[in-house]
Amino acid sequence: MVNVKERPSWDEYFMRIAQEVAQRSTCLRRSVGAVVVLSKRILSTGYNGAPSGLPHCAETGCLREQLKVPSGQRHELCRGMHAEMNALLQGARHGIRLEGGTLYSTHVPCSLCSKMIINTGLVRAVAAVDYPDTFAREMLLRAGVELYVLPMGPAGPEGEGD
């Protein structure tokens, strides 16, 4: 009898890719990756870090860290772009229609990113790690954007590969 390897679900597959994209992050606080998918095809990716052409936080330091700003607060003090923002902007920059797609992000989107997700016309967001922003969840719910948290370890769904 042939031993058949179990394949990851589509959500697991794209979340693993988002985790790999996060490896490019230049943020000193957390590494986040995002992938926008439509019809099982990757349309754009993004990771968190300074805008293109500007010095990375590793070079300049993190103002939010210096001021001890808690997670989820005072986003305007951060010089970096969020992974979700970068994935949406990459699609726009290259003229790619993202409407109707799904965003896979290593973290639940914040309220700023949630507003962008809603106005982009994405219909679903899948995240591996929760984020302390209940307002973001409320907005996504009211806008009809499905939010699904798929706990993932480095090797797959939580509990596998540990």
Side-chain angles (χ1 to χ4, degrees):
M1 185 163 151
V2 176
N3 188 5
V4 179
K5 178 178 92 171
E6 187 174 327
R7 297 170 64 192
S9 70
W10 285 108
D11 283 345
E12 292 164 354
Y13 172 74
F14 290 120
M15 187 57 67
R16 286 178 181 166
I17 293 171
Q19 289 174 327
E20 190 62 32
V21 171
Q23 299 303 306
R24 294 275 309 150
S25 170
T26 61
C27 178
L28 300 175
R29 288 184 125 187
R30 79 171 37 105
S31 295
V32 181
V35 177
V36 179
V37 173
L38 181 66
S39 300
K40 299 178 186 167
R41 301 291 178 257
I42 295 173
L43 302 178
S44 65
T45 65
Y47 52 87
N48 58 331
S52 298
L54 296 183
H56 297 298
C57 298
E59 300 169 54
T60 62
C62 176
L63 181 59
R64 292 179 76 231
E65 191 67 32
Q66 293 164 10
L67 297 175
K68 301 192 184 335
V69 176
S71 180
Q73 297 179 16
R74 304 290 315 267
H75 291 129
E76 74 278 6
L77 294 177
C78 179
R79 65 189 327 272
M81 299 285 295
H82 289 187
E84 301 89 340
M85 292 177 184
N86 274 327
L88 299 176
L89 290 169
Q90 183 187 81
R93 185 176 193 170
H94 294 286
I96 300 169
R97 184 181 176 136
L98 305 177
E99 187 175 12
T102 296
L103 177 106
Y104 291 87
S105 179
T106 56
H107 293 69
V108 170
C110 71
S111 57
L112 295 172
C113 291
S114 293
K115 289 185 262 187
M116 292 180 74
I117 289 166
I118 292 164
N119 277 2
T120 301
L122 299 181
V123 297
R124 188 167 182 254
V126 180
V129 176
D130 209 350
Y131 187 76
D133 191 336
T134 55
F135 185 52
R137 288 175 174 274
E138 290 170 12
M139 282 193 299
L140 292 171
L141 179 67
R142 283 181 173 242
V145 177
E146 177 191 352
L147 175 61
Y148 176 61
V149 178
L150 174 70
M152 297 277 289
E158 207 59 53
E160 289 183 17
D162 293 333

